[in-house]
Amino acid sequence: MLSKRIRMDNSGYCNESFHSLQSGTSDEDMVEIAGATLDFSSTDDVPPLDRDYCSGYGSHGSGGDMLNGGPRLMDLLDEPVPGVGTYEDFNTIDWVREKSKDRDRHREIASKSKESTWALLHSVSDAFSGWLLMLLIGLMAGALAGGIDISAHWMTDLKEGVCLNGFWFNHEHCCWTSNEATFQERDKCPQWKTWAELIIGTTEGAFAYIINYLMYVSWALLFSFLAVSLVRAFAPYACGSGIPEIKTILSGFIIRGYLGKWTLVIKTITLVLAVSSGLSLGKEGPLVHVACCCGNILCHLFTKYRKNEAKRREVLSAAAAVGVSVAFGAPIGGVLFSLEEVSYYFPLKTLWRSFFAALVAAFTLRSINPFGNSRLVLFYVEFHSPWHLLELVPFILLGIFGGIWGALFIRANIAWCRCRKTTRLGRYPVLEVLLVTAVTTVLAFPNDYTRTSTSELISELFNDCGLLDSSKLCDYVNVNTSKSSNELPDRPAGHNVYTAMWQLSLALVFKMLITVVTFGMKVPSGLFIPSMAVGAIAGRLLGVGMEQLAYHHHDWPVFKGWCSPGADCITPGLYAMVGAAACLGGVTRMTVSLVVIMFELTGGLEYIVPLMAAAMTSKWVADALGREGIYEAHIRLNGYPFLEAKEEFSHKTLAMDVMRPRRSDPPLSVLTQDSLTVEDAEALITETTYSGFPVVVSQESQRLVGFVLRRDLIISIENARMRQDGIVSTSRIFFTEYMPPQPPDSPAPLKLRGIMDLSPFTVTDHTAMEIVVDIFRKLGLRQCLVTHNGRLLGIITKKDILKHMAQMANRDPDSILFN
């Protein structure tokens, strides 16, 4: 008994949970948790304190100590209590405790593996389980992404018409099998009928145009209404992109249900509906959320991930990489995105597993072949002419444009979202979605470049014009050339190119404005594709302008050396690609992962330098105008307790300036190690709302002994009242290792040393806050105790630090909403 006690005291925790006697646990109970509790075997996430959830034990149990022949004393080190070591909703996990618990588990398995063959097999399966989990996440996310792509493509085309061969064919697939379709007019075939043809029998005339217009708007309104209604009714967490919340969850915060099964099902369905409605949003951000839901759900198949919050967050980091991998067909970019943008804790082991999971997901998506072109993405392009050094100037200009637009977009979108939160607009999410959809579709339909889906628009803007291209953007005046169709020289623009330029200019203004009000509505909405569309339009406009300038003024000194008449000097599609990267970088502040995603997305490996120049320029410009990216801005808007690792703390404050209690506050609420009664503890719990209490030697000495979490204390006392004989309000609680002899007539004591953290993090009152903030970031602490000459002075929580940082930045400290 003593050796067991010493061994457990060294680790400082008693965290192992045991299986509850309630066997009626369903998958629903298990899956509906957003990484929020360690004991998933009980039917409730938070064991109810007013119900006999351990009735199977009655009042007699086994184990314990006999003290002076008195009542049996239950030690929580012997028999874990359900719920102890778990976390409540909207709380932060204790990274140190979770990692300590995992190390203990690993040591136990390693020591037992030498005892028998079965234990050795268990050790091998435990080591292999992480890779198996990655395989399952990759397969599941890849399959879901393929289904979303195919469904969204079909429903987008449904707004314009239907295929007579089978209503389940989209426009492109419908005309593939047609013998009447020509290459130049490959989107026209008798099997595909527009709604005007079906209803009035003709595609010509004003009436046919009005019919198509009305059907386009009607379908869009229906899709968006279904999307917002499903989100509102079944899974409120399925709205938005999900990346700000996933960043917060990966930092250790708990949002129950955010990665549950209902969120996954509803997000998958409504993402298809939202993208198909024609709203200015993308599916890439929500696919990260979908992949993380897959990861969280599959974690329940493996005990070591189900019962450990820190281990589960390693899996979710890999799942985020899988989401980007299937969204863009960019497995390496996905791993770098998870590392650079969303992950809080990313050990080397997670890097390898993320790479493997992203590979499996990309392979699964490639097997499904959702675009029918044997590519992973819609935008695959091949440019045939190299870029010239002087072109870096327009590329950097595109970077400046992307940075300015990104910073302005963030400010405008946050202002709009704040308005939604604080005014009556937020009370009518369905009406807001329908209004924005109506405005979007009514304005989008007359313009060919806004009527088409945003992905197809980007694909067309990235495209390098060939001889057989029928797009208006490729309507150049043909000049005699003996070169192959792959190397067309720069040519004068035809009438349709100028028309396309006007339409694209209007589309640019439209996309810039409508995306501000669309992102953040109560439907799944990603920001990658709309941002790329804005940049691609701006880039194509600049590219065509440069191309015509080089053609008509090839004798200018700036063009003379490298752009002779009849040469293919300027590639407008490349400018579109660089512009897309610049605007996406300006909004998200990604750099390395952005460049890798862009060249994986387009296959443009030799254009890494222009992409790097634009991405860095856009980040510098955007950072000069505002330090936060769009996801960090939304984290702050929602008040999530997220300590941004990139944000520097440069103020000269000390721990005593931030700790509680302040001079005017009542003294710190503490527990004493051997003079506290059950009644005192329950009174303290009732009177306060703190998440935990320091344990001291006595009220007079204030010498620190340890720290007890409020939740663990409540559950332990309730459990002891039900399971241990003689525990009454006057029973004394002991946090000491050895107890003094008790008088024979005294009530049974309660020993709770097992739930106490024996090694809480402490700093002195003169520690610089810069160091304290660094400790919180790097160790993922929930709280830190402040001492002076060994005596307890106060406590600093993560929320205190966030409030202090907000005050230092002249922001409202009460904007940190969650405990």
Side-chain angles (χ1 to χ4, degrees):
M1 177 67 199
L2 182 62
S3 64
K4 182 188 287 188
R5 181 181 289 132
I6 290 169
R7 187 170 69 249
M8 290 303 293
D9 283 357
N10 285 339
S11 68
Y13 298 100
C14 169
N15 291 319
E16 296 296 318
S17 51
F18 73 102
H19 290 292
S20 165
L21 293 184
Q22 297 180 354
S23 57
T25 307
S26 69
D27 274 351
E28 290 189 19
D29 299 318
M30 293 165 64
V31 173
E32 276 300 304
I33 299 159
T37 181
L38 302 180
D39 183 13
F40 286 85
S41 53
S42 65
T43 51
D44 291 292
D45 299 338
V46 186
L49 304 180
D50 55 350
R51 199 173 76 219
D52 185 8
Y53 62 94
C54 288
S55 56
Y57 286 100
S59 58
H60 300 282
S62 60
D65 292 358
M66 294 301 289
L67 188 66
N68 298 333
R72 180 179 57 82
L73 177 68
M74 186 190 76
D75 189 338
L76 286 168
L77 294 174
D78 295 334
E79 206 170 282
V81 177
V84 169
T86 63
Y87 304 96
E88 291 180 333
D89 204 2
F90 299 122
N91 269 267
T92 305
I93 70 166
D94 189 329
W95 284 92
V96 177
R97 177 165 75 171
E98 297 299 301
K99 297 304 291 180
S100 169
K101 193 175 79 169
D102 185 60
R103 280 193 296 271
D104 290 344
R105 185 196 62 81
H106 193 266
R107 272 195 291 266
E108 187 182 350
I109 289 174
S111 63
K112 284 183 178 177
S113 65
K114 299 167 187 173
E115 296 173 3
S116 67
T117 309
W118 177 251
L120 180 66
L121 287 172
H122 178 250
S123 174
V124 172
S125 70
D126 182 75
F128 179 68
S129 61
W131 295 100
L132 178 60
L133 179 56
M134 293 301 124
L135 176 72
L136 294 175
I137 292 170
L139 291 170
M140 186 173 177
L144 283 174
I148 287 169
D149 284 334
I150 292 167
S151 306
H153 200 169
W154 169 68
M155 289 175 70
T156 301
D157 288 346
L158 192 63
K159 299 203 301 285
E160 297 184 4
V162 70
C163 185
L164 297 184
N165 287 353
F167 72 91
W168 55 88
F169 288 121
N170 63 39
H171 193 165
E172 188 179 6
H173 289 172
C174 188
C175 292
W176 269 357
T177 54
S178 173
N179 296 322
E180 290 87 349
T182 61
F183 186 79
Q184 281 86 353
E185 296 188 336
R186 48 191 175 275
D187 58 338
K188 293 182 181 175
C189 61
Q191 286 83 1
W192 179 263
K193 298 288 185 187
T194 63
W195 292 111
E197 279 183 280
L198 283 173
I199 294 168
I200 60 172
T202 179
T203 57
E204 305 297 326
F207 190 50
Y209 182 83
I210 291 168
I211 292 287
N212 283 331
Y213 203 150
L214 289 173
M215 289 302 292
Y216 181 90
V217 174
S218 302
W219 277 112
L221 287 169
L222 175 64
F223 292 157
S224 61
F225 175 73
L226 286 173
V228 70
S229 301
L230 286 170
V231 166
R232 198 174 177 211
F234 297 106
Y237 283 150
C239 67
S241 89
I243 292 179
E245 286 76 13
I246 284 164
K247 282 189 73 163
T248 310
I249 288 170
L250 288 178
S251 77
F253 195 54
I254 288 169
I255 309 177
R256 284 221 176 102
Y258 199 84
L259 301 176
K261 99 174 172 313
W262 271 112
T263 305
L264 173 64
V265 171
I266 297 302
K267 186 110 185 182
T268 305
I269 295 168
T270 55
L271 180 55
V272 174
L273 291 165
V275 170
S276 306
S277 68
L279 286 164
S280 182
L281 47 82
K283 61 180 184 297
E284 284 65 25
L287 275 174
V288 174
H289 188 182
V290 165
C292 285
C293 288
C294 296
N296 184 61
I297 289 166
L298 292 170
C299 274
H300 291 86
L301 302 176
F302 302 90
T303 309
K304 76 171 176 181
Y305 295 107
R306 184 173 75 235
K307 292 189 175 181
N308 193 295
E309 295 296 321
K311 294 293 290 180
R312 186 168 339 174
R313 275 154 180 76
E314 291 178 24
V315 173
L316 295 180
S317 289
V322 169
V324 174
S325 174
V326 294
F328 289 113
I332 301 171
V335 175
L336 290 173
F337 173 81
S338 180
L339 175 60
E340 181 184 0
E341 191 62 24
V342 296
S343 290
Y344 194 82
Y345 173 68
F346 202 85
L348 194 60
K349 182 170 60 177
T350 304
L351 181 72
W352 301 332
R353 288 181 175 172
S354 301
F355 185 73
F356 174 67
L359 164 74
V360 171
F363 174 76
T364 306
L365 190 64
R366 171 66 182 79
S367 304
I368 294 171
N369 194 14
F371 303 113
N373 58 2
S374 299
R375 303 283 186 196
L376 283 172
V377 285
L378 202 56
F379 320 136
Y380 193 85
V381 290
E382 289 178 293
F383 302 132
H384 304 286
S385 60
W387 59 279
H388 192 270
L389 192 63
L390 287 171
E391 286 185 281
L392 276 178
V393 175
F395 293 153
I396 288 171
L397 286 175
L398 283 172
I400 293 170
F401 169 78
I404 293 171
W405 182 75
L408 292 177
F409 171 82
I410 291 168
R411 289 188 182 186
N413 180 252
I414 293 298
W416 179 258
C417 289
R418 188 170 283 116
C419 174
R420 182 188 288 126
K421 274 178 173 289
T422 55
T423 62
R424 295 179 66 185
L425 180 66
R427 299 181 201 167
Y428 307 103
V430 177
L431 185 62
E432 183 196 4
V433 169
L434 290 177
L435 278 174
V436 173
T437 306
V439 171
T440 303
T441 49
V442 166
L443 294 177
F445 187 83
N447 188 336
D448 292 341
Y449 294 107
T450 49
R451 183 192 313 172
T452 183
S453 76
T454 315
S455 297
E456 287 174 9
L457 168 64
I458 295 171
S459 183
E460 187 172 344
L461 293 169
F462 282 7
N463 187 38
D464 190 16
C465 288
L467 275 175
L468 298 175
D469 276 309
S470 56
S471 166
K472 282 194 288 189
L473 283 169
C474 295
D475 180 38
Y476 289 92
V477 176
N478 280 320
V479 292
N480 292 328
T481 176
S482 58
K483 295 193 177 185
S484 69
S485 61
N486 282 347
E487 294 185 11
L488 287 172
D490 288 347
R491 298 162 290 167
H495 172 70
N496 280 343
V497 173
Y498 291 111
T499 306
M501 291 300 100
W502 276 110
Q503 288 183 324
L504 281 175
S505 300
L506 293 171
L508 177 64
V509 175
F510 171 73
K511 288 280 183 191
M512 288 169 75
L513 295 175
I514 205 71
T515 307
V516 169
V517 297
T518 305
F519 187 68
M521 291 197 308
K522 298 300 180 191
V523 290
S525 53
L527 196 56
F528 282 40
I529 290 293
S531 302
M532 286 173 67
V534 168
I537 294 170
R540 188 77 187 206
L541 290 170
L542 181 62
V544 172
M546 285 289 293
E547 181 189 48
Q548 294 307 302
L549 199 63
Y551 177 80
H552 291 293
H553 301 283
H554 53 79
D555 53 342
W556 282 9
V558 77
F559 297 119
K560 207 167 189 176
W562 59 282
C563 194
S564 54
D568 182 15
C569 307
I570 309 288
T571 308
L574 170 61
Y575 284 73
M577 189 170 97
V578 171
C583 281
L584 185 52
V587 171
T588 62
R589 310 297 160 85
M590 296 191 305
T591 50
V592 182
S593 54
L594 171 64
V595 171
V596 174
I597 286 170
M598 287 305 295
F599 84 70
E600 282 190 276
L601 189 64
T602 57
L605 195 60
E606 63 182 291
Y607 301 105
I608 285 182
V609 173
L611 288 169
M612 288 172 73
M616 277 314 305
T617 308
S618 72
K619 177 169 172 57
W620 284 334
V621 171
D623 279 349
L625 298 173
R627 294 292 296 171
E628 291 179 323
I630 187 69
Y631 302 128
E632 291 78 21
H634 273 269
I635 284 171
R636 188 159 59 79
L637 177 73
N638 292 326
Y640 297 135
F642 181 76
L643 266 178
E644 178 56 66
K646 302 168 194 168
E647 192 178 339
E648 293 179 12
F649 186 88
S650 55
H651 306 285
K652 292 185 176 180
T653 48
L654 301 177
M656 64 165 69
D657 302 323
V658 180
M659 73 176 192
R660 287 180 297 161
R662 305 285 166 82
R663 285 187 179 88
S664 57
D665 293 345
L668 187 66
S669 299
V670 294
L671 306 172
T672 52
Q673 67 173 0
D674 55 10
S675 59
L676 191 77
T677 65
V678 170
E679 188 176 31
D680 296 336
E682 289 176 332
L684 188 63
I685 289 165
T686 307
E687 291 163 8
T688 62
T689 57
Y690 305 130
S691 297
F693 305 98
V695 180
V696 294
V697 173
S698 67
Q699 291 285 2
E700 294 75 31
S701 76
Q702 291 288 307
R703 298 286 176 185
L704 184 64
V705 177
F707 192 85
V708 172
L709 291 177
R710 174 196 188 88
R711 176 178 168 82
D712 292 354
L713 184 62
I714 294 172
I715 291 171
S716 301
I717 291 174
E718 286 292 327
N719 188 71
R721 280 185 179 277
M722 285 186 290
R723 293 176 53 195
Q724 189 175 336
D725 293 339
I727 295 295
V728 292
S729 295
T730 53
S731 298
R732 283 173 71 188
I733 296 175
F734 287 92
F735 293 102
T736 51
E737 187 169 355
Y738 305 106
M739 288 189 307
Q742 302 296 306
D745 57 342
S746 65
L750 175 60
K751 186 172 182 184
L752 294 182
R753 186 177 178 83
I755 65 168
M756 183 171 64
D757 177 2
L758 292 168
S759 54
F761 273 85
T762 58
V763 294
T764 66
D765 52 340
H766 283 87
T767 306
M769 274 309 295
E770 191 176 359
I771 295 171
V772 176
V773 170
D774 227 22
I775 291 172
F776 268 81
R777 278 180 183 147
K778 290 177 178 172
L779 294 178
L781 298 185
R782 299 179 76 183
Q783 70 278 319
C784 180
L785 300 172
V786 183
T787 61
H788 177 75
N789 292 340
R791 294 182 75 247
L792 179 67
L793 277 191
I795 184 170
I796 298 175
T797 65
K798 196 173 184 180
K799 185 175 176 182
D800 294 327
I801 287 181
L802 289 162
K803 280 190 170 186
H804 180 65
M805 291 171 78
Q807 274 180 324
M808 293 290 105
N810 295 320
R811 297 197 304 262
D812 177 18
D814 292 327
S815 62
I816 311 301
L817 301 178
F818 295 102
N819 292 317

